[in-house]
């Protein structure tokens, strides 16, 4: 089947494609270097709608190549360049189309179609140039790899091959061409390490330093400078020298390093990284066509697998649902926030103060019980601003302005009399929080929102003794505050629409992914994690060795093992949340005597790291009292997953969130659960756990799986 027929068939499957045009224009290069054809990729929309490659877009690029191929063979042009619209080069395949594919042969056609079009750039009778003028990802990076030369803008903000992160491989040349260009080790960093490191992006300078681009120019006159450079290359005045690629032992070592990274991140639970590494390993002999064929096969297999569908589902949740939270009130009801108060000046309160200050750029005032604590809180914020200045993230004027906006006072009346939004981050104890809110209500203006950062206590109970309980809202951040995007916004029994709308408005300005949750014990993330961790702890308490219980959940590919997570959270906090949930749901949530003993002994966790690796602390081992029921890894995993599936089912029945999608969004953005799981519910559906426990799947067929 010809390329045109392949793409025509694929385009019929994807009628809603946002089509990219490939405009050809001709220009005379500087220094009389000759007539040049420049292809600009542009979907006709502004930079907020990046250029993508669906089947019709590839067909348009192919048609442009028909034209320049003819001109090149006739000798009327000396070279061909490819660039993008302002701020965007191209960001790869259109995933909305991939979601619709139901058959392996259709998925194979997408891989082959991209290869057949991009390969034509390398086959032209004249030299080809890619000018990475703006964001380039996936297929956008790959179309440039098929060119002979590349330049990059110093202003380029994001450059990556993110496919492995989503559950694919760079399948239009990335796995084959990149190691042959810059060596296997650097290619492994871009394809595997950066992808599995939360889809880390490269800046223009890094693209140049890695050897992906042959030259780098400032953003302001990037294309002009690139064309001057192109003229020098074509006239032979400038030779592009690239270091020889080491095809010996270094190549094999790079692939082994990639496998180690993949094992440490996904523990063999997700196939994409391993498929990419197999192709990189085989690319050592430089047989490009064999590499392209392997990419086609891997793409088709992965497109028809659950991991990619979960990855796209997760991507859509984070990109779309997070921006339009389910159940959020009309934005027009939100009140302006021109001053923020923070009750407490400990580490969490200080982190919150810094975040409000940086994102809202309004006065922020901290209070605490003594001057020393207040001073320490303000000084923490000042120190963090100095660090931003040192890293050139802000300039001196901005640093001075931000420092001028933060202050600390002992007297709440003085600090909060004109505040619009006041958040408390004090000790997690109901009586303490009720007292704080009573004191704040007495001095704050009538319209001010009173927010609590509680992780597990009832917002309704906290508000119950106030004159105006309708303005109290839960505003639960996750640690570290600056990094984790989730914000659980909790509606108390009496919270009114205006207060809730204001909370969502503030969350948006804070650049957080807000999810509306019901005022139920421990809300979403902490409730699921506590059930998850509680079942692990139960299995250990009953007699299963710690190492077996930890290894049992490795196939989920979680960011860290349960007991390492417990260490990060803090055993005392973990114990406190389990006690809260045990009071609410005694039949499902236990309080581990072993965990209580670890907390009582003042231990920071179960492990010591003397060898650099986590090993069970002998002092903790001596504290553990275990029964004689020893489970296998598989039995442990079944117990844990059954418990999680049951808890999620109950939470949905209780209306804690609107849909299963919100549970997944919370775990992705608040607990760092992997994209290849889609959060948790697609995984539970795929493994048959949902059906076994609840008698039905959480998601409809095709939502995070291949459509029927």
């Amino acid at each position: 089947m010809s390329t045109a027929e392949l793409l025509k068939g694929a385009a019929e499957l994807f009628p809603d494609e946002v089509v990219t045009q490939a405009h050809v224009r001709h220009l005379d290069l500087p220094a009389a270097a000759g007539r040049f054809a420049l292809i600009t990729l542009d979907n006709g929309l502004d930079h907020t709608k990046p250029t993508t490659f669906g089947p019709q877009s590839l067909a348009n690029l192919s048609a442009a190549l028909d034209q320049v191929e003819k001109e090149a063979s006739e000798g009327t042009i000396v070279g061909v360049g490819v660039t993008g619209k302002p701020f965007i080069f191209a960001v790869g395949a259109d995933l909305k189309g991939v979601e619709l594919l139901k058959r392996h042969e259709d998925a194979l056609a997408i891989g082959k179609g991209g290869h057949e079009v991009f390969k034509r750039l390398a086959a032209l009778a004249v030299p080809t140039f890619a000018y990475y003028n703006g964001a380039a990802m996936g297929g956008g990076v790959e179309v440039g790899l098929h060119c002979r030369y590349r330049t990059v803008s110093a202003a380029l903000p994001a450059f990556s091959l993110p496919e492995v992160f989503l559950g694919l491989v760079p399948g239009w040349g990335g796995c084959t061409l990149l190691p042959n260009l810059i060596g296997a080790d650097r290619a492994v960093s871009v394809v595997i390490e950066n992808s599995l490191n939360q889809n880390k992006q490269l800046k223009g300078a890094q693209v140049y330093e890695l050897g992906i681009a042959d030259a780098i120019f400032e953003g302001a006159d990037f294309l002009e400078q690139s064309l001057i450079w192109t003229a020098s290359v074509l006239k032979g005045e400038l030779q592009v020298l690239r270091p020889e690629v080491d095809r010996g032992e270094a190549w094999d070592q790079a692939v082994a390093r990639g496998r180690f990274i993949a094992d440490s991140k996904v523990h063999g639970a997700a196939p994409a990284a391993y498929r990419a590494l197999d192709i990189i390993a085989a690319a050592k002999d430089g047989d490009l066509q064999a590499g392209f064929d392997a990419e086609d096969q891997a793409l088709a297999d992965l497109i028809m697998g659950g991991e990619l569908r979960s990855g796209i589902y997760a991507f859509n949740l984070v990109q779309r649902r997070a921006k339009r939270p389910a159940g959020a009130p009309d934005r027009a009801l939100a009140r302006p926030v021109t001053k923020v108060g923070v009750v407490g000046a400990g580490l969490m309160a200080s982190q919150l103060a810094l975040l409000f200050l940086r994102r809202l750029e309004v006065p922020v005032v901290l209070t605490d019980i003594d001057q020393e604590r207040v001073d320490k809180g303000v000084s923490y914020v000042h120190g963090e601003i100095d660090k931003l200045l040192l890293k050139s993230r802000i300039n001196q004027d901005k640093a001075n302005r931000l420092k001028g906006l933060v202050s600390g006072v002992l007297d709440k009346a003085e600090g909060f009399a004109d505040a619009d939004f006041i958040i408390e981050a004090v000790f997690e104890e109901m009586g303490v929080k009720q007292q704080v809110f009573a004191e704040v209500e007495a001095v704050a203006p009538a319209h001010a929102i009173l927010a609590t950062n509680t992780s597990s206590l009832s917002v309704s109970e906290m508000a119950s003794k106030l004159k105006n309980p309708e303005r109290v809202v839960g505003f639960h951040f996750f640690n570290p505050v600056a990094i984790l995007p989730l914000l659980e916004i909790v509606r108390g029994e009496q919270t009114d629409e205006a207060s809730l709308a204001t909370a969502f408005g503030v969350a948006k300005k804070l650049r957080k992914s807000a999810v509306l949750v019901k005022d139920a014990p421990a809300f979403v993330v902490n409730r699921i994690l506590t059930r998850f961790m509680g079942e692990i702890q139960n299995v250990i308490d009953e007699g299963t060795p710690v190492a077996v219980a930890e290894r049992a959940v490795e196939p989920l590919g979680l960011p860290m093992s349960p007991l390492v997570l417990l260490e990060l959270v803090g055993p005392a906090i973990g114990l406190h949340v389990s006690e809260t949930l045990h009071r609410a749901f005694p039949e499902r949530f236990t309080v581990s005597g072993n965990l209580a003993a670890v907390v009582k002994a003042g231990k920071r966790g179960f492990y010591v790291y003397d060898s650099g690796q986590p090993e069970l602390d002998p002092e903790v081992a001596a504290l553990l009292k275990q029964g004689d029921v020893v489970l296998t890894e598989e039995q442990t995993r079944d117990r844990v997953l059954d418990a999680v599936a049951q808890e999620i089912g109950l939470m949905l029945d209780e209306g804690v969130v609107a849909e299963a999608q919100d549970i997944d969004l919370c775990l992705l953005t608040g607990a760092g659960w992997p994209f290849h799981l889609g959060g948790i519910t697609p995984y539970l559906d795929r493994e048959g756990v949902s059906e076994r426990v609840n008698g039905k799947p959480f998601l409809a067929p095709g939502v995070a799986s291949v459509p029927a």
Side-chain angles (χ1 to χ4, degrees):
M1 194 185 284
S2 71
T3 305
E5 287 169 321
L6 271 179
L7 293 173
K8 187 170 183 292
E12 284 165 6
L13 296 172
F14 184 19
D16 299 326
E17 176 185 351
V18 177
V19 177
T20 295
Q21 303 298 332
H23 304 290
V24 181
R25 65 185 171 110
H26 295 89
L27 44 94
D28 292 319
L29 286 171
R35 190 164 178 262
F36 189 77
L38 183 66
I39 300 171
T40 303
L41 304 169
D42 190 346
N43 60 8
L45 302 165
D46 70 15
H47 68 278
T48 62
K49 301 282 190 304
T51 305
T52 52
F53 292 116
Q56 186 55 53
S57 306
L58 288 171
N60 289 345
L61 177 57
S62 194
L65 291 169
D66 286 343
Q67 180 186 337
V68 297
E69 190 173 59
K70 183 170 180 289
E71 293 168 351
S73 61
E74 289 170 352
T76 58
I77 54 172
V78 293
V80 174
V82 181
T83 192
K85 67 183 184 182
F87 308 111
I88 305 286
F89 182 77
V91 299
D94 192 322
L95 291 175
K96 291 196 292 298
V98 173
E99 281 178 272
L100 303 172
L101 298 174
K102 299 179 184 179
R103 300 184 313 160
H104 193 274
E105 53 264 44
D106 294 333
L108 197 60
I110 289 288
K112 284 188 182 300
H115 272 130
E116 293 307 316
V117 175
F118 288 2
K119 270 175 12 189
R120 297 182 66 190
L121 280 160
L124 288 175
V126 293
T128 48
F129 298 78
Y131 306 131
Y132 291 124
N133 64 303
M137 294 170 206
V141 168
E142 290 168 305
V143 72
L145 294 177
H146 284 268
C147 296
R148 193 184 303 178
Y149 304 102
R150 284 157 294 281
T151 66
V152 67
S153 165
L156 181 145
F159 183 104
S160 65
L161 288 169
E163 287 84 352
V164 167
F165 176 68
L166 290 170
L168 275 177
V169 297
W172 285 340
C175 291
T176 304
L177 294 173
L178 193 63
N180 277 293
L181 176 67
I182 62 173
D185 196 61
R186 288 176 165 191
V188 162
S189 293
V190 177
V191 174
I192 306 296
E193 190 170 20
N194 289 358
S195 247
L196 292 179
N197 190 9
Q198 291 300 311
N199 191 18
K200 182 182 170 192
Q201 300 293 319
L202 298 169
K203 300 273 196 286
Q206 294 166 301
V207 174
Y208 174 63
E209 283 156 20
L210 283 167
I212 299 171
D214 303 303
I216 183 167
F217 301 109
E218 289 304 318
D221 57 351
F222 169 70
L223 188 57
E224 187 186 337
Q225 292 301 321
S226 292
L227 292 170
I228 293 169
W229 181 85
T230 298
S232 301
V233 171
L234 290 172
K235 289 179 78 177
E237 296 165 1
L238 190 75
Q239 255 194 313
V240 174
L241 301 171
R242 299 184 185 128
E244 199 175 330
V245 169
D246 187 334
R247 296 181 186 279
E249 203 179 315
W251 195 290
D252 303 330
Q253 286 171 347
V255 173
R257 181 174 78 88
R259 292 194 196 284
F260 176 78
I261 292 165
D263 286 343
S264 67
K265 292 285 187 181
V266 299
H267 308 284
Y274 302 97
R275 292 295 292 265
L277 286 163
D278 289 345
I279 300 167
I280 292 171
K284 182 179 177 181
D285 64 6
D287 184 341
L288 300 186
Q289 189 53 51
F292 296 161
D293 292 343
E295 288 175 353
D296 288 342
Q297 201 56 53
L299 264 188
D301 292 348
L302 291 166
I303 285 172
M304 300 315 291
E307 182 205 1
L308 171 70
R309 304 302 172 132
S310 293
I312 294 175
Y313 164 80
F315 183 78
N316 288 338
L317 289 181
V318 170
Q319 293 297 316
R320 295 182 201 153
R321 193 177 183 95
K323 292 179 172 64
R324 288 185 289 281
D330 183 348
R331 290 176 186 174
L333 296 171
R335 292 192 284 262
V337 172
T338 59
K339 184 179 180 181
V340 172
V342 181
V343 186
L347 183 58
M348 188 68 176
S350 302
Q351 287 183 55
L352 294 180
L354 178 70
L355 180 69
F356 278 92
L357 184 67
R358 286 194 64 200
R359 298 285 181 245
L360 271 60
E361 294 192 25
V362 299
V364 175
V365 60
L366 294 121
T367 70
D368 212 316
I369 53 175
D370 60 53
Q371 193 62 46
E372 189 184 339
R373 289 177 204 224
V374 169
D375 293 345
K376 191 176 175 187
V378 173
S379 145
Y380 168 86
V381 176
H382 281 196
E384 292 301 306
I385 292 167
D386 286 336
K387 284 182 197 169
L388 293 169
L389 180 62
L390 209 60
K391 291 176 185 166
S392 303
R393 301 268 294 279
I394 56 174
N395 61 25
Q396 187 66 59
D397 281 354
K398 180 119 183 225
N400 294 345
R401 192 165 78 253
L402 290 176
K403 283 184 182 180
L405 286 170
V406 66
S407 61
V409 293
L410 279 176
D411 182 3
K412 291 187 181 69
E414 180 190 339
F416 298 158
D418 56 349
D420 307 301
F421 192 99
I422 299 160
I423 185 165
E424 68 74 24
V426 299
F427 187 65
E428 191 74 350
E429 206 274 310
M430 184 58 77
V432 175
K433 290 187 186 282
Q434 284 180 330
Q435 185 190 337
V436 160
F437 271 159
E439 291 169 5
V440 170
E441 189 181 48
V443 297
H447 69 273
I449 305 297
L450 308 184
T452 169
N453 184 43
T454 183
S455 58
S456 61
L457 300 177
S458 166
V459 173
S460 304
E461 190 183 338
M462 216 176 287
S464 62
K465 297 181 178 176
L466 298 179
K467 295 186 196 75
N468 298 107
E470 71 280 355
R471 56 178 171 159
V472 176
V473 65
F475 217 60
H476 180 217
F477 289 88
F478 289 79
N479 226 339
V481 169
I483 294 168
L484 288 175
L486 179 64
L487 187 50
E488 291 179 338
I489 296 187
V490 188
R491 174 183 228 145
E493 283 168 19
Q494 299 194 59
T495 308
D496 66 18
E497 293 286 291
S499 301
L500 205 57
T502 306
F504 274 98
V506 169
K508 190 175 171 65
K509 286 185 177 164
L510 294 175
R511 300 181 201 166
K512 293 294 180 188
S513 298
V515 175
L516 179 62
V517 306
K518 185 179 166 184
D519 187 17
F523 316 126
V524 176
V525 172
N526 284 345
R527 179 162 163 185
I528 292 170
L529 288 185
T530 304
R531 186 79 199 272
F532 173 80
M533 306 276 282
E535 211 52 50
I536 294 269
Q537 192 73 56
N538 289 343
V539 167
I540 292 170
D541 293 355
E542 289 164 19
T544 300
V546 169
V548 174
E550 286 268 82
R551 278 199 308 271
V553 292
E554 276 188 359
L556 276 75
L558 299 176
M560 61 190 77
S561 77
L563 293 183
V564 173
L565 175 63
L566 180 68
E567 201 169 294
L568 184 74
V569 170
I573 292 172
L575 180 65
H576 172 74
V577 177
S578 68
E579 287 168 344
T580 303
L581 282 160
H582 176 67
R583 283 194 295 275
F585 310 114
E587 69 288 357
R588 299 194 312 280
F589 287 86
T590 53
V591 178
S592 165
N594 281 326
L595 180 57
V598 167
V599 172
K600 190 178 176 188
K603 288 292 185 183
R604 290 183 53 205
F606 276 61
Y607 293 129
V608 287
Y609 296 85
D610 299 339
S611 65
Q613 292 300 313
E615 290 171 25
L616 189 61
D617 183 339
E619 291 177 17
V620 169
L623 292 171
L624 294 182
K625 293 195 169 99
Q626 291 182 282
D628 53 10
V629 179
V630 179
L631 299 185
T632 64
E633 287 178 26
E634 194 176 348
Q635 289 169 325
T636 300
R637 186 161 57 252
D638 284 349
R639 271 265 301 263
V640 171
L641 292 177
D642 284 4
V644 170
Q646 182 195 31
E647 203 58 40
I648 292 171
L650 291 165
M651 289 165 72
L652 292 171
D653 290 345
E654 292 166 25
V656 175
V657 288
E659 290 181 291
Q661 281 88 333
D662 293 310
I663 300 264
D664 292 321
L665 182 57
C666 284
L667 287 174
L668 289 162
T669 56
W673 279 40
F675 266 48
H676 70 260
L677 292 188
I680 181 64
T681 68
Y683 179 81
L684 295 172
D685 286 355
R686 206 160 64 227
E687 297 294 310
V689 182
S690 320
E691 197 81 44
R692 182 169 76 224
V693 175
N694 301 322
K696 60 180 181 184
F698 288 113
L699 301 168
V703 172
S705 53
V706 177

